[in-house]
Amino acid sequence: MAGQRIAARAAACATVTVLTVTAGAVARADDDFASLPAQQIADRSRDALLGVRSLHLRARGDLGRGRDAMTVDLSLDRDGNCAGSVDLGGDKGAVRIVKRGDAVWVKPDADFWKNQVPVGGTTFDSVLAGRYLKGEASDSRLRPVVDVCDLDTFRELVSDNADRADGTLTKGTVTTLDGVRTVPVTRDARGQRVTAYVDTGGAHHPVRLTVRGGGADAAVDFSGFDEPVPTATPAADDTVDVSALLGRTPAPS
């Protein structure tokens, strides 16, 4: 379904911003973390991110792709479970997403149906009447949602792009974000500045990324490392089967 693909791509755009700063080989040192060179801090942050079993991410702002500022708020794990929402901004609509095991639920709002599915969208919205659209993870119409809900997909993006970083990497002074002591490392490349605020304690996860320049003005917050994804799923009487609504022939993948 076209609207679901748009929502999934929006979430993917948010997660990919991490790639431009957390690239390189992993380094280890016993000295004070904040005193390490910028590259070693970035390396440890990338390693920590690749090691998590689950996380929560919240992205907001304009990622420089010609769209309104959007918000992505998702909890996801390496077993493919996911829960959260994507708001495309500018009254273009929002979608609630839940994936548990092999089942996927999506709940587009009225603005989403109207703007992202102009042919028949209002009819779909009327039929659903505020309920979730439910399908199987193997359904090609839901594949974009399934992919973005899998933390392993995100980890593969980080790994595949580990050697693509360029530009200049610098370290800033220690700062506190939401009670967490962090050290910022910034990469300037091709007119864009990406800053990762890395936790100076624990496993040294990145807790915030900001993207400025090149048409982008956005931030991505990471939290809930290794915490379980919420297990609640929509009730049966609050769902409509995707095949009953869209027909029984899967769309091309």
Side-chain angles (χ1 to χ4, degrees):
M1 190 172 90
Q4 293 162 355
R5 292 188 178 94
I6 292 169
R9 284 198 299 269
C13 288
T15 60
V16 168
T17 60
V18 72
L19 309 180
T20 59
V21 70
T22 55
V26 176
R28 296 292 180 187
D30 293 329
D31 51 324
D32 180 69
F33 180 75
S35 69
L36 295 176
Q39 188 62 64
Q40 289 190 22
I41 291 172
D43 291 343
R44 290 198 185 186
S45 176
R46 181 188 68 93
D47 189 40
L49 196 62
L50 286 173
V52 300
R53 296 295 307 177
S54 61
L55 59 78
H56 181 89
L57 69 86
R58 187 175 190 274
R60 58 202 180 280
D62 178 5
L63 292 166
R65 294 175 177 264
R67 302 188 181 102
D68 291 319
M70 62 183 68
T71 300
V72 178
D73 198 330
L74 290 172
S75 294
L76 59 162
D77 66 23
R78 290 171 66 175
D79 293 323
N81 301 308
C82 174
S85 64
V86 177
D87 188 330
L88 299 180
D91 296 324
K92 290 185 177 179
V95 182
R96 292 285 308 169
I97 301 170
V98 177
K99 181 178 180 291
R100 198 78 196 167
D102 293 328
V104 183
W105 295 260
V106 292
K107 186 178 182 180
D109 66 8
D111 285 338
F112 187 95
W113 284 116
K114 177 182 176 181
N115 292 289
Q116 309 305 328
V117 189
V119 179
T122 55
T123 300
F124 292 150
D125 183 44
S126 177
V127 172
L128 284 173
R131 293 172 292 179
Y132 282 82
L133 192 62
K134 181 184 178 182
E136 297 297 320
S138 58
D139 192 319
S140 59
R141 292 166 295 197
L142 299 175
R143 176 54 56 185
V145 174
V146 171
D147 287 345
V148 83
C149 276
D150 191 345
L151 184 57
D152 279 338
T153 300
F154 170 71
R155 294 174 67 254
E156 287 170 9
L157 286 171
V158 176
S159 296
D160 291 348
N161 286 270
D163 298 322
R164 297 182 185 178
D166 56 7
T168 303
L169 188 65
T170 57
K171 180 179 70 172
T173 58
V174 172
T175 185
T176 300
L177 293 176
D178 298 328
V180 179
R181 186 172 181 267
T182 69
V183 57
V185 287
T186 298
R187 189 177 298 277
D188 288 288
R190 294 169 296 197
Q192 189 170 80
R193 169 170 288 194
V194 179
T195 300
Y197 294 84
V198 183
D199 190 345
T200 60
H204 308 308
H205 297 113
V207 297
R208 178 174 297 169
L209 292 158
T210 60
V211 187
R212 305 286 185 264
D217 185 4
V220 183
D221 288 337
F222 294 95
S223 62
F225 301 104
D226 295 320
E227 294 180 5
V229 172
T231 59
T233 58
D237 59 2
D238 195 29
T239 65
V240 174
D241 186 84
V242 63
S243 294
L245 185 68
L246 303 180
R248 298 191 174 277
T249 303
S253 59

